[in-house]
Amino acid sequence: MGLISTTVLRKVAIATIDNPPVNALGAAVRQGLAAAIAQANADAGVAAIVIASAGKAFIAGADISEFGEPPVAPSLPDLLDAIEASAKPVVAAIQGVALGGGLEVALACHGRVALPGAKLGLPEIKLGLIPGAGGTQRLPRLIRAAKAFPMMLSGEPVSAGQALDDGLLDEVVPSDVVAAAARLAEALAAEGRRPMTSATNGTLTEADREAFEALAKDALRKADGMPNVAALVEAVRAVFTMSYAEGQAVERKLFLSLVTDERSKALRHVFFAEREVAKVRGIGPEVKPREIASAAVIGAGTMGGGIAMCFANAGIPVTLIETAQAALDNGVNRISATYDISVQRGSLTLEAKAHRMTLIRPALGIAAAAGADVVIEAAFEEMGVKQQIFGELSKIAKPGAILASNTSYLDIPTIAAATTRQQDVLGMHFFSPANVMKLLEVVRPQGVADDAVATAVTLGRKLGKVPVVVGNGFGFVGNRMLEQRTRAAERLLVAGALPHEVDAALVGFGFKMGPFAMADLAGNDVGWRSRKARGLKAPVADAICEAGWFGQKTGRGYYIYPQGARAGQRCPEVEALIARIAIENGVTRRSFTQEEILARLLDPMVNEGARILEAAIAARPGDIDIVWINGYNWPAWRGGPMFWADSVGLDVIAKRLQAQAAEIGDKALEPAPLLKRLAAEGNRFASLTSRG
Ligand code: 3H9
């Protein structure tokens, strides 16, 4: 088998897995390992066995892309039982990561040796799963349930040092882990194989069971409906109540049912989409990003301040620029107050705050941006203002500096036209609050240099963001789709739903907030100003603003907020106003089910997503999903809007849109050509990407 090569060294068979990039346990690897173990057992010249690996990882786990495919023997649990039952001792030589099924391989071995940089973990929970190859049964038996359960619940790996302390590893060696594993294997062969992990029930005590039950209770309380948490509890509990074989059967049954659960499918889709999004068309490893050692942010408002914090948090000095001292002082004070909240919460030390504040250098006047390697403009959202700033930047900025606008909607080429360096101008669109939200839309207009785009992407990652490269076009990806949802929400009010019903539908779907609670929080005047500038009308939203109900900051908006309350209460005046507007528009209002509300909110977004794909503003449907998960709190376990649409069925969505378009008489709601075509073919958005 090509992926496993075996050499024999002083009576120890070394089976090395070489399945780039991360030695995932695909069918060929499992078959190769099974053959290597069987062969070593049959070879009289072999006394012990080492499982080692080539490349940067020991084993990153089961091959996630095989889940949901027809099973190919041997299954991982069967392979691991064979390893554990090997008559000749088997030792794992761990370098890099041993994750999921990778750690389960090590757990089935009779000894484990690692390099100091190794990381060991069972991250299945993050994919909506639980360990499915004996991990829930072997790990508690090895290191106690009270230690093993939190590791499986968080999915976070532990260091080699920690694993050694916990008894998960036998040895940590500074170098040549294979030789050290071979020595341990020889010793085990000489002294007689140690008891199998699956049979070491002696480590399970009543005290451990009680400690585990307390942790389990807490975990179930916080599980938020995720079925894998309850499954994990059930599987680990079996360690105390059943034999290993029975417990393993429980684990297997739970694992297999979770694999087919929509939530796990969604999380697995997100795992691959996160990796795909990093691949940018036309930008390979030969395109080297420019060096970024300093930054400048123009505009010390909420957005500019948040962006400056991102640089300071990443240790990059940043000049924060305003035109007037008072605005600059306000900006710096706001940043300081935001850091204070982290200090109070205990997530930031006072020293760290002080250091970050020294990295933020307030300055007056655009000339202060002259030395920066990247300048991000976060000024007022008006083309004239932006063009003036970029015109000046073109004169004073360092040659080769990246000149980025944080605009949410405006045309980047028009901004770039104010400069003589189109090759350096692009969009870097952060999301509010900029120091928290992970999404960064990197807007790539025609004419920008590839290395400028690569720089923005690399920088985004350094700032802890998830950069998604998007094309230029009104609202780019996220806000363009959000506008559809906002319009749909307004239509629903006039048609008969109430603000709290619309919000409840989205919260029920998994969002933290609905559109009206969100609008009240952000300030209804923001959208109002933008509609007026574009000559657009939204009868309910406009009337609410005309009444001065801007949201939480004025004590009322779509809801009432008595005495600064953060949760709004239903407002009879708003509800009466909506009813009046419906009458004025000749609409007979009717009630809507939650399901209808959801369809009316989300289908137009999906339709816009299809148009965005047609126009190549987003490279892949998965990129759109990543935008919505990281910028708009779309629940990851729902996979993003395009994944959701695939799971509902594109034919269903196309039919619903067609019906709505006819009912309202709005052609814009008719299914986009791409959606129509895929629906007619019985296809999914996922078919547009290589993974299908
Ligand atoms: C499991 O084990 C279940 C068992 O309990 C029971 C089974 C019965 N499978 O992240 P990167 C690909 S569940 C398939 O960019 P890094 C990845 O898609 C599994 N592919 O690199 C990418 O491909 P491409 C539990 C995988 O250095 C490439 O490898 N394990 C897998 O930043 C490089 O990945 C996990 O959840 C996989 N398991 O990080 C671990 N892993 O180049 C998941 C990676 O085509 N993996 N790929 O885009 C990770 O956390 C990170 O990938 C890792 C490397 C830390 C390993």
Side-chain angles (χ1 to χ4, degrees):
M1 291 284 171
L3 302 179
I4 314 290
S5 56
T6 306
T7 53
V8 179
L9 196 80
R10 286 205 334 264
K11 298 193 90 178
V12 179
I14 318 272
T16 304
I17 307 170
D18 189 3
N19 183 27
V22 292
N23 295 324
L25 294 160
V29 172
R30 296 195 304 274
Q31 287 160 1
L33 263 182
I37 300 291
Q39 211 168 2
N41 270 285
D43 186 342
V46 167
I49 303 160
V50 165
I51 298 179
S53 64
K56 62 178 184 173
F58 174 61
I59 302 169
D63 185 335
I64 301 167
S65 62
E66 280 185 357
F67 293 165
E69 302 289 320
V72 179
S75 73
L76 196 56
D78 289 350
L79 168 65
L80 302 199
D81 286 347
I83 290 175
E84 202 186 35
S86 161
K88 298 175 183 176
V90 187
V91 174
I94 303 171
Q95 44 100 21
V97 293
L99 297 177
L103 180 55
E104 290 173 304
V105 167
L107 286 168
C109 292
H110 310 101
R112 288 158 288 277
V113 182
L115 289 178
K119 294 226 174 294
L120 301 92
L122 291 168
E124 288 86 344
I125 201 95
K126 296 183 182 180
L127 297 169
L129 302 169
I130 61 169
T136 66
Q137 304 303 299
R138 286 193 179 98
L139 191 63
R141 285 179 163 86
L142 189 65
I143 67 169
R144 292 184 293 111
K147 279 261 180 219
F149 178 70
M151 226 175 123
M152 294 187 267
L153 182 66
S154 73
E156 290 301 319
V158 296
S159 65
Q162 178 74 50
L164 184 66
D165 288 350
D166 291 346
L168 174 45
L169 289 174
D170 295 284
E171 271 178 72
V172 175
V173 293
S175 60
D176 209 347
V177 68
V178 176
R183 277 194 302 275
L184 177 60
E186 278 177 314
L188 291 178
E191 76 194 32
R193 205 185 51 180
R194 57 173 74 169
M196 308 211 300
T197 309
S198 62
T200 52
N201 273 13
T203 57
L204 302 170
T205 61
E206 187 53 25
D208 188 30
R209 194 187 64 76
E210 279 171 18
F212 156 70
E213 286 297 346
L215 293 168
K217 197 170 160 200
D218 191 47
L220 289 171
R221 196 169 45 79
K222 297 180 185 153
D224 226 4
M226 283 304 282
N228 57 340
V229 174
L232 183 64
V233 168
E234 190 182 337
V236 175
R237 188 171 285 143
V239 167
F240 294 99
T241 56
M242 297 179 189
S243 69
Y244 174 82
E246 287 164 341
Q248 201 191 27
V250 168
E251 177 200 82
R252 188 79 192 138
K253 189 162 159 254
L254 292 166
F255 178 85
L256 290 177
S257 91
L258 290 168
V259 163
T260 56
D261 187 274
E262 278 303 314
R263 285 163 279 205
S264 173
K265 283 187 197 161
L267 290 167
R268 272 139 49 196
H269 158 74
V270 173
F271 174 84
F272 286 118
E274 272 170 359
R275 277 142 189 91
E276 289 289 322
V277 85
K279 295 169 193 155
V280 184
R281 179 177 38 84
I283 299 187
E286 72 289 353
V287 181
K288 300 285 173 233
R290 302 177 196 174
E291 192 164 330
I292 302 291
S294 65
V297 174
I298 298 178
T302 316
M303 218 45 208
I307 297 170
M309 287 173 78
C310 296
F311 281 100
N313 297 351
I316 302 172
V318 52
T319 307
L320 182 63
I321 299 173
E322 261 297 345
T323 47
Q325 190 64 47
L328 191 57
D329 291 345
N330 275 342
V332 173
N333 291 339
R334 198 179 305 117
I335 292 173
S336 176
T338 310
Y339 277 139
D340 282 342
I341 296 172
S342 306
V343 172
Q344 278 155 21
R345 283 200 192 129
S347 58
L348 189 72
T349 63
L350 266 176
E351 297 71 48
K353 178 203 161 183
H355 176 63
R356 289 180 192 186
M357 290 303 290
T358 61
L359 288 172
I360 300 175
R361 296 165 189 166
L364 286 177
I366 214 164
D373 297 317
V374 57
V375 185
I376 300 183
E377 166 276 313
F380 200 63
E381 193 74 344
E382 207 180 278
M383 186 52 90
V385 175
K386 310 250 180 215
Q387 283 201 309
Q388 196 199 340
I389 290 172
F390 277 79
E392 286 185 45
L393 283 176
S394 184
K395 287 184 212 133
I396 61 112
K398 194 165 153 178
I402 303 293
L403 307 181
S405 174
N406 176 52
T407 179
S408 311
Y409 292 99
L410 299 176
D411 185 57
I412 304 288
T414 311
I415 296 174
T419 74
T420 54
R421 4 174 147 182
Q422 272 86 344
Q423 73 280 2
D424 301 330
V425 182
L426 42 70
M428 285 179 76
H429 181 211
F430 291 76
F431 287 74
S432 189
N435 53 314
V436 177
M437 297 306 284
K438 290 250 173 246
L439 177 62
L440 175 70
E441 283 182 335
V442 173
V443 187
R444 182 185 195 176
Q446 286 215 331
V448 71
D450 287 349
D451 70 332
V453 178
T455 309
V457 169
T458 308
L459 173 62
R461 280 200 208 108
K462 240 185 235 164
L463 300 184
K465 303 295 172 198
V466 178
V468 181
V469 176
V470 300
N472 181 60
F474 187 81
F476 316 119
V477 171
N479 280 348
R480 179 166 162 178
M481 287 168 71
L482 179 66
E483 184 162 287
Q484 293 301 325
R485 195 184 78 180
T486 308
R487 282 188 195 170
E490 162 91 18
R491 272 196 305 267
L492 271 164
L493 294 186
V494 180
L498 290 170
H500 69 278
E501 292 169 338
V502 175
D503 282 349
L506 271 200
V507 171
F509 182 76
F511 278 92
K512 292 201 180 108
M513 253 188 199
F516 296 117
M518 191 67 192
D520 274 0
L521 179 66
N524 296 316
D525 48 326
V526 183
W528 190 36
R529 259 202 315 271
S530 141
R531 282 194 302 281
K532 280 202 280 197
R534 294 163 59 204
L536 297 175
K537 293 218 174 307
V540 177
D542 292 346
I544 279 179
C545 287
E546 277 151 23
W549 302 337
F550 291 161
Q552 289 196 23
K553 60 187 171 189
T554 57
R556 58 191 298 178
Y558 287 95
Y559 301 99
I560 306 183
Y561 302 86
Q563 280 116 40
R566 304 205 58 167
Q569 296 172 0
R570 282 176 65 174
C571 173
E573 277 181 86
V574 166
E575 293 179 9
L577 178 147
I578 294 169
R580 200 189 67 226
I581 289 174
I583 293 169
E584 284 165 11
N585 285 274
V587 178
T588 310
R589 298 179 85 238
R590 68 155 173 106
S591 62
F592 287 88
T593 63
Q594 285 224 342
E595 211 175 308
E596 283 175 311
I597 292 176
L598 264 187
R600 287 191 178 221
L601 290 173
L602 304 187
D603 292 354
M605 284 176 57
V606 169
N607 208 23
E608 199 63 24
R611 292 197 186 101
I612 284 170
L613 287 170
E614 278 164 3
I617 299 287
R620 293 159 285 246
D623 289 15
I624 297 179
D625 291 337
I626 295 301
V627 161
W628 269 81
I629 289 167
N630 291 285
Y632 301 84
N633 285 321
W634 182 289
W637 57 268
R638 294 273 194 186
M642 308 315 269
F643 178 89
W644 172 80
D646 276 349
S647 63
V648 172
L650 298 189
D651 53 336
V652 173
I653 296 204
K655 266 191 213 125
R656 288 197 306 223
L657 281 165
Q658 195 70 60
Q660 236 202 107
E663 177 195 317
I664 302 175
D666 183 354
K667 276 194 146 340
L669 280 171
E670 282 179 6
L674 174 65
L675 175 58
K676 237 186 194 154
R677 171 171 72 76
L678 292 174
E681 291 167 2
N683 233 327
R684 308 181 315 142
F685 285 119
S687 67
L688 302 172
T689 51
S690 50
R691 282 189 199 274

